[in-house]
């Protein structure tokens, strides 16, 4: 979900981007963060051949999984159900929130703790819970900061990357009772930890995302560094996992290569601190774990991408964020300028399916098509190709193209006419030659002498000479 009204996402994207590029602190912070993440990733892949082989494998696993998606989802449901997990299907964000609320009401729940989940951001889960009088507290430190500030995440891996430690110190002092200002990072982390630990113990429900779901074994995999994911999924009596339908793979053997690609591409870590494998509620005799586990499989526009062979590649994404870290546009404007849950290159290709192309097509134009995103994508999603395809779909005549939601809404008749004429000229050699001949006659309109131009240029030459001589003199003096 976007924090903006849908029409605002595309309409004011340019204005938000301008504001971001004029914010020097943000620019500097983003540059430092992107340089740091890029060098961390690079250090993790010293061997180009190993990287190429691993990317081939990752791409093959994701393609294979998507090719068999309907069967794998059914297999996942069967195996999870056999282990005591309740599986729910939600076509829309509203349906998903309704299911969560229904479970919460059944348990008389009042407090929910959340692990990091971009899908929950996508469906606007926090807002839906708050509207129903349920506290939904983010426990990932970055998400906690962003929630406290009343903002949305600006990066899919590091939600508070746009904030300085001074800003976080001021935020904690202003919003957390009894907390004094500090910009010491360790102290800030400790403040958050102390507060959250109590909240885990008090929570009725723990909610998490899912990085991968294994169909054959009925296993939910959760990748994290802070341990808050493990707390959310094991301390409260009820655990609800939410995920997009594309996260399923067939075999447990598929996890290690994807996990390795994810952690090395995302934060430049060989492994994360925690890899949680969840396979059902607490069994008899076990000392901890939830009494009830639910999985909500969410479509929310993904089947639109799935229906188109080229756009389906969008769903290969493992949400590592590397495309954002290497994108020259994202590195200058940051995530919040996009106005969507998923910013950067991945946001530009996935948002049209979630929110409609009509409101999000300007995001697809926010790319130089330099190809840096595709070069680092661990599962080889051809992002520039998909961006061009979406730009095209935004301009098609209504009723033509792939039938994407909002297709053709960016079409401007005069622009379309100009491009049609251009295409016609390029198709007909005789017309092309005649027009280039005609255009070359345009040189008759240029001035006979180049005096005006050289008149400006010539005085600069002695000035440059003088400067060079002065510099040489100064060098001699030293
Ligand atoms: S598109 Fe590729 S690089 Fe970007 S987040 Fe997804 S997997 Fe990572």
């Amino acid at each position: 979900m976007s924090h903006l009204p849908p029409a605002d996402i595309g309409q004011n994207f340019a204005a938000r981007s301008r504001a971001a590029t004029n914010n020097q602190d943000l620019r500097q912070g983003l540059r430092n963060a992107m340089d740091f993440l890029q060098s961390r990733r690079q250090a993790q892949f010293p061997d180009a051949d190993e990287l190429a082989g691993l990317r081939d494998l990752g791409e093959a696993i994701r393609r294979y999984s998507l090719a068999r998606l309907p069967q794998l989802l059914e297999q996942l449901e069967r195996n999870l159900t056999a282990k005591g997990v309740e599986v729910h299907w939600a076509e829309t964000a509203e349906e998903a929130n309704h299911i969560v609320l229904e479970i919460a009401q059944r348990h008389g729940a009042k407090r929910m703790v959340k692990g990091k989940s971009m899908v929950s951001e996508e469906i606007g889960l926090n807002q839906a819970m708050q509207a129903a009088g349920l506290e939904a507290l983010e426990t990932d430190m970055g998400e906690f900061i962003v929630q406290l500030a009343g903002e949305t995440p600006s990066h899919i891996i590091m939600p508070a990357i746009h904030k300085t430690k001074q800003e976080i110190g001021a935020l904690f002092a202003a919003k957390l009772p009894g907390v004094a200002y500090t910009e010491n990072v360790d102290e800030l982390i400790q403040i958050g930890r102390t507060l959250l630990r109590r909240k885990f113990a008090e929570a009725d429900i723990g909610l998490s995302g899912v990085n991968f779901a294994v169909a054959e074994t009925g296993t939910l995999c959760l990748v994290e560094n802070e341990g808050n994911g493990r707390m959310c999924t094991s301390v409260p009596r009820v655990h609800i996992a939410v995920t997009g339908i594309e996260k399923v793979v067939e075999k447990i053997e598929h996890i290690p290569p994807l996990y390795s690609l994810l952690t090395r591409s995302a934060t430049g870590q060989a492994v994360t601190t925690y890899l949680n494998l969840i396979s059902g509620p607490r069994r008899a005799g076990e000392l901890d774990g939830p009494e009830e586990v639910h999985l909500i499989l969410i479509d929310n526009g993904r089947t639109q991408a799935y229906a188109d062979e080229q756009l389906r590649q969008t769903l290969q994404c493992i949400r590592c964020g590397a495309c954002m870290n290497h994108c020259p546009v994202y590195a200058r404007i940051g995530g919040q300028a996009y106005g969507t849950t998923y910013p950067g290159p991945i946001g530009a290709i996935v948002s049209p399916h979630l929110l409609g192309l009509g409101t999000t097509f300007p995001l697809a134009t926010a790319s130089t098509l330099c190809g840096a995103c595709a070069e680092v994508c661990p599962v080889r999603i051809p992002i520039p190709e998909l961006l061009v395809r979406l730009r095209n779909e935004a301009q098609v005549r209504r009723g033509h193209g792939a039938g994407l939601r909002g297709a053709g809404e960016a079409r401007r008749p005069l622009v379309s006419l100009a491009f049609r004429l251009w295409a016609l000229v390029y198709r007909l050699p005789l017309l092309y030659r005649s027009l280039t001949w005609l255009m070359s006659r345009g040189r008759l309109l240029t001035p006979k002498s180049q005096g005006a131009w050289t008149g400006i240029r010539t005085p600069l030459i002695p000035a440059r000479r003088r400067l060079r001589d002065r510099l040489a003199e100064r060098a001699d003096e030293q």
Side-chain angles (χ1 to χ4, degrees):
M1 193 177 135
S2 164
H3 57 290
L4 301 170
D8 210 23
I9 295 172
Q11 244 168 41
N12 295 319
F13 176 48
R16 289 193 302 274
S17 303
R18 255 194 309 278
T21 47
N22 287 331
N23 181 338
Q24 287 309 317
D25 290 342
L26 178 70
R27 292 279 300 272
Q28 192 55 54
L30 283 169
R31 187 67 272 155
N32 295 344
M34 297 303 112
D35 288 348
F36 173 72
L37 289 167
Q38 285 181 17
S39 60
R40 293 259 305 188
R41 176 190 169 275
Q42 215 170 1
Q44 277 297 329
F45 293 115
D47 181 342
D49 291 338
E50 189 250 356
L51 171 61
L54 195 55
R55 288 177 78 204
D56 287 344
L57 184 57
E59 181 192 13
I61 293 170
R62 291 304 295 134
R63 278 176 174 266
Y64 174 78
S65 310
L66 290 173
R68 307 193 59 230
L69 187 62
Q71 299 95 303
L72 291 185
L73 284 168
E74 283 176 10
Q75 189 183 13
L76 177 72
E77 181 181 29
R78 270 196 310 279
N79 288 330
L80 281 172
T81 308
K83 290 178 164 180
V85 177
E86 276 186 54
V87 179
H88 312 259
W89 300 76
E91 201 177 324
T92 61
E94 293 73 31
E95 264 183 48
N97 287 327
H98 180 77
I99 294 167
V100 177
L101 271 177
E102 196 271 322
I103 298 168
Q105 277 156 6
R106 208 191 311 153
H107 288 274
K110 288 274 168 279
R111 286 169 295 260
M112 172 190 285
V113 281
K114 290 181 66 210
K116 188 168 169 1
S117 157
M118 289 310 289
V119 170
S120 77
E121 293 283 346
E122 174 192 321
I123 62 174
L125 187 129
N126 290 5
Q127 294 86 333
M129 296 305 115
Q130 274 148 22
L134 194 92
E135 181 189 70
L137 181 75
E138 298 288 352
T139 63
D140 171 271
M141 194 52 70
E143 292 279 355
F144 174 69
I145 292 165
V146 165
Q147 187 180 40
L148 206 58
E151 297 174 5
T152 50
S154 61
H155 190 285
I156 61 174
I157 299 294
M158 273 149 291
I161 205 165
H162 58 292
K163 289 219 168 294
T164 60
K165 57 185 180 185
Q166 290 81 5
E167 285 171 338
I168 297 167
L171 177 72
F172 278 18
K175 294 278 177 87
L176 300 177
V179 169
Y181 175 84
T182 174
E183 52 186 64
N184 180 308
V185 176
D186 291 338
E187 284 176 24
L188 288 169
I189 299 284
Q190 202 45 51
I191 292 167
R193 276 196 169 163
T194 311
L195 184 138
L196 291 173
R197 193 145 285 266
R198 189 164 40 81
K199 295 286 184 179
F200 288 123
E202 291 168 354
D204 307 301
I205 292 185
L207 188 130
S208 75
V210 175
N211 290 94
F212 310 106
V214 185
E216 207 174 70
T217 55
T219 310
L220 306 176
C221 307
L222 191 59
V223 178
E224 52 141 349
N225 274 315
E226 296 176 15
N228 64 309
R230 183 163 294 185
M231 298 288 274
C232 287
T233 57
S234 59
V235 178
R237 281 188 303 123
V238 180
H239 168 214
I240 304 174
V242 291
T243 186
I245 51 172
E246 78 279 19
K247 294 284 180 71
V248 65
V249 295
E250 186 182 22
K251 296 172 182 295
I252 200 84
E253 299 92 277
H254 291 161
I255 298 302
L258 293 178
Y259 175 60
S260 176
L261 282 167
L262 173 61
T263 61
R264 291 159 87 186
S265 304
T267 47
Q269 290 173 282
V271 288
T272 44
T273 315
Y274 298 92
L275 170 62
N276 305 290
L277 301 178
I278 299 158
S279 51
R282 180 196 303 201
R283 295 190 194 98
E286 287 181 345
L287 294 178
D288 54 19
E291 290 159 19
E292 224 176 276
V293 178
H294 298 260
L295 171 69
I296 308 177
L297 293 162
I298 302 171
D299 176 357
N300 199 28
R302 287 163 173 80
T303 42
Q304 172 180 278
Y306 189 76
D308 183 286
E309 212 178 315
Q310 188 186 25
L311 298 174
R312 182 184 295 180
Q313 296 172 96
T314 311
L315 303 180
Q316 284 169 216
C317 179
I318 55 171
R319 302 285 190 266
C320 70
C323 55
M324 297 157 67
N325 304 343
H326 291 76
C327 173
V329 177
Y330 177 89
R332 279 157 185 81
I333 65 174
Q336 296 195 318
Y338 288 80
T340 46
T341 301
Y342 305 97
I346 177 59
I349 60 171
V350 80
S351 304
H353 304 294
L354 310 182
L355 299 163
L357 189 56
T359 51
T360 55
F361 75 88
L363 310 188
T365 65
S367 168
T368 60
L369 301 181
C370 66
C373 48
E375 218 169 280
V376 295
C377 176
V379 287
R380 295 194 194 279
I381 300 176
I383 299 171
E385 278 173 35
L386 302 186
L387 289 172
V388 171
R389 170 72 192 284
L390 290 167
R391 289 179 188 183
N392 233 320
E393 291 284 339
Q395 304 286 342
V396 291
R397 244 176 300 152
R398 302 277 173 99
H400 292 66
L404 305 187
R405 227 170 3 125
E409 284 183 18
R411 189 179 173 81
R412 301 283 171 270
L414 270 179
V415 176
S416 305
L417 181 68
F419 276 101
R420 276 220 300 283
L421 287 175
W422 190 348
L424 183 73
V425 171
Y426 271 70
R427 268 205 308 275
L428 302 173
L430 184 63
L431 183 60
Y432 178 81
R433 275 199 294 273
S434 312
L435 282 174
T436 46
W437 177 85
L438 191 66
M439 298 306 280
S440 69
R441 299 303 97 183
R443 72 170 180 265
L444 299 174
L445 300 173
T446 57
K448 293 241 173 337
S449 131
Q450 297 295 314
W453 171 241
T454 50
I456 297 166
R457 297 281 295 177
T458 315
L460 293 178
I461 294 169
R464 204 180 303 152
R465 244 183 239 137
R466 277 198 303 277
L467 179 66
R468 197 184 53 205
D469 293 346
R470 261 211 309 277
L471 287 173
E473 275 167 27
R474 205 169 291 168
D476 285 347
E477 282 164 18
Q478 285 167 357

